Amino acid sequence: LAKTTQPISMDSYEGQEVNITCSHNNIATNDYITWYQQFPSQGPRFIIQGYKTKVTNEVASLFIPADRKSSTLSLPRVSLSDTAVYYCLVGDRGSNYQLIWGAGTKLIIKP
Amino acid sequence: DSGVTQTPKHLITATGQRVTLRCSPRSGDLSVYWYQQSLDQGLQFLIQYYNGEERAKGNILERFSAQQFPDLHSELNLSSLELGDSALYFCASSVDLLAPITRYEQYFGPGTRLTVT
């Protein structure tokens, strides 16, 4: 199965840009890379998704290099409310339907 | 509100017992996923159903089973419960019209908190 690796935790300060990288090998060539945000005792919530290069929406950017062996979630000008766990999600090369979730990165934003 | 509903919200039961968790997907979504999240742990994918059929299996124990009914709601059955089964159980749904399924956003329910004593 494909494997993903994310930092366990990160700290930053309000107003800073935060980048969280997920390494993923053996992902399916036609699969998308997705990031979710989770607050305590709530279900994860979709943040952004991409296939290659760069994608930007109103809350984040996602950078995916040409080899697609990693992806970087970029949160501009974070606030205290961005304190959460962030997960990357990819698909496995060997199956059209096997989802591989990262272990999650706990992001703590300080004032 | 994601549009995915889960019942019950909380469940307390004893070891050795059996429980059923219920999930209703968003209107129009054909896929249902079940996840287990133990305290301060990541998401563990258990199983996925698509339009009534099992599509993918993750780290689901043999004591656990699930099904998706014709009206697309799903139930997760947990039997011979152990203390270690205490966790938040999430259901998610997505459209999943065509592969790859990673193309489609998953919408998560609020979860069922199971406590086994």
Side-chain angles (χ1 to χ4, degrees):
Chain A
L1 287 179
K3 286 191 68 175
T4 58
T5 303
Q6 305 178 230
I8 294 173
S9 64
M10 294 180 67
D11 291 353
S12 188
Y13 292 90
E14 282 191 292
Q16 298 295 304
E17 178 185 78
V18 171
N19 296 310
I20 306 173
T21 296
C22 176
S23 299
H24 28 75
N25 63 0
N26 214 32
I27 68 170
T29 53
N30 61 342
D31 259 330
Y32 287 75
I33 298 161
T34 312
W35 284 79
Y36 286 80
Q37 176 193 54
Q38 186 182 28
F39 297 112
S41 298
Q42 294 185 23
R45 186 177 66 174
F46 174 91
I47 302 174
I48 196 167
Q49 178 185 76
Y51 180 74
K52 60 181 179 181
T53 63
K54 177 183 175 182
V55 178
T56 297
N57 62 21
E58 62 276 8
V59 298
S61 294
L62 180 60
F63 300 91
I64 303 169
D67 65 7
R68 294 182 11 106
K69 291 186 176 181
S70 67
S71 59
T72 298
L73 172 71
S74 181
L75 303 173
R77 299 178 300 282
V78 293
S79 64
L80 296 177
S81 63
D82 292 316
T83 293
V85 179
Y86 294 82
Y87 294 94
C88 62
L89 170 64
V90 299
D92 181 66
R93 176 184 288 273
S95 164
N96 279 332
Y97 307 119
Q98 193 63 256
L99 296 171
I100 309 297
W101 287 80
T105 298
K106 187 169 186 176
L107 175 64
I108 298 174
I109 304 301
K110 303 174 183 177
Chain B
D1 184 0
S2 66
V4 177
T5 60
Q6 290 188 247
T7 56
K9 192 172 176 64
H10 299 279
L11 196 50
I12 301 175
T13 189
T15 55
Q17 296 299 302
R18 172 190 168 95
V19 297
T20 297
L21 313 183
R22 182 188 169 102
C23 167
S24 291
R26 286 189 331 152
S27 176
D29 283 357
L30 300 176
S31 261
V32 168
Y33 305 78
W34 285 99
Y35 294 91
Q36 179 192 56
Q37 188 170 42
S38 302
L39 187 63
D40 292 332
Q41 299 295 310
L43 286 167
Q44 294 295 321
F45 167 65
L46 297 178
I47 198 165
Q48 180 207 359
Y49 278 82
Y50 176 79
N51 204 20
E53 300 289 326
E54 181 185 307
R55 175 178 270 184
K57 237 175 184 177
N59 299 319
I60 188 166
L61 300 172
E62 285 192 12
R63 301 183 285 110
F64 296 179
S65 65
Q67 54 184 328
Q68 186 180 27
F69 295 87
D71 66 352
L72 301 178
H73 91 272
S74 179
E75 293 181 355
L76 178 67
N77 300 296
L78 314 176
S79 61
S80 302
L81 285 167
E82 302 174 359
L83 295 178
D85 297 327
S86 295
L88 258 175
Y89 290 84
F90 288 107
C91 164
S93 74
S94 68
V95 173
D96 282 6
L97 294 173
L98 298 168
I101 59 171
T102 52
R103 178 68 180 92
Y104 304 103
E105 177 181 347
Q106 291 186 43
Y107 295 85
F108 282 77
T112 293
R113 183 172 294 280
L114 173 66
T115 302
V116 182
T117 61

